[in-house]
Amino acid sequence: MKKIVANDIIVLDDITLDVKELKRDEEEGTVYIEFDVTSEDYHNLSEHLYKEEFLVRLPGNNNEEFQARIINYSTSLDNLYEEDQVGEYRITLKEEK
């Protein structure tokens, strides 16, 4: 798996995420990301992620852009609806060819 260190953001459609970790495997066509989500952002972000398919942009990786679908998703907390919580999301996206 190829790790991209230049990227600290990823864009899913029109939502920009500050990521803590981003790994891009071009052979498998996958992108793995970890990022924090606050209680304030939880509802809008979760609603957007339910779409499951996105235009993915990697600005620091030669402005790479492709369609992808969520194939794996987990979170460290299940109470982000409560005020002042921060959870970590882990998502794997698969490029749609």
Side-chain angles (χ1 to χ4, degrees):
M1 193 170 265
K2 177 182 169 187
K3 183 173 183 177
I4 301 171
V5 278
N7 273 57
D8 55 355
I9 64 166
I10 187 172
V11 182
L12 304 180
D13 295 329
D14 59 349
I15 294 181
T16 301
L17 301 172
D18 292 316
V19 295
K20 298 189 320 186
E21 185 171 359
L22 187 152
K23 295 178 183 175
R24 172 80 166 117
D25 188 323
E26 293 179 3
E27 282 183 20
E28 289 185 7
T30 58
V31 175
Y32 170 82
I33 55 175
E34 287 183 13
F35 57 96
D36 288 334
V37 177
T38 63
S39 301
E40 296 78 33
D41 296 331
Y42 164 72
H43 178 75
N44 287 339
L45 180 61
S46 293
E47 193 172 79
H48 190 77
L49 292 177
Y50 285 135
K51 286 179 31 180
E52 295 182 12
E53 291 185 30
F54 312 96
L55 174 62
V56 176
R57 288 186 295 258
L58 303 172
N61 195 38
N62 298 320
N63 294 317
E64 190 175 2
E65 187 175 293
F66 52 89
Q67 288 293 131
R69 163 184 291 279
I70 292 177
I71 58 170
N72 197 356
Y73 161 84
S74 65
T75 182
S76 64
L77 289 177
D78 59 2
N79 64 340
L80 281 170
Y81 52 86
E82 295 176 7
E83 202 171 319
D84 298 324
Q85 299 293 316
V86 177
E88 182 180 80
Y89 276 33
R90 294 171 291 278
I91 296 175
T92 304
L93 300 159
K94 174 80 172 166
E95 190 172 348
E96 300 280 298
K97 302 261 179 182

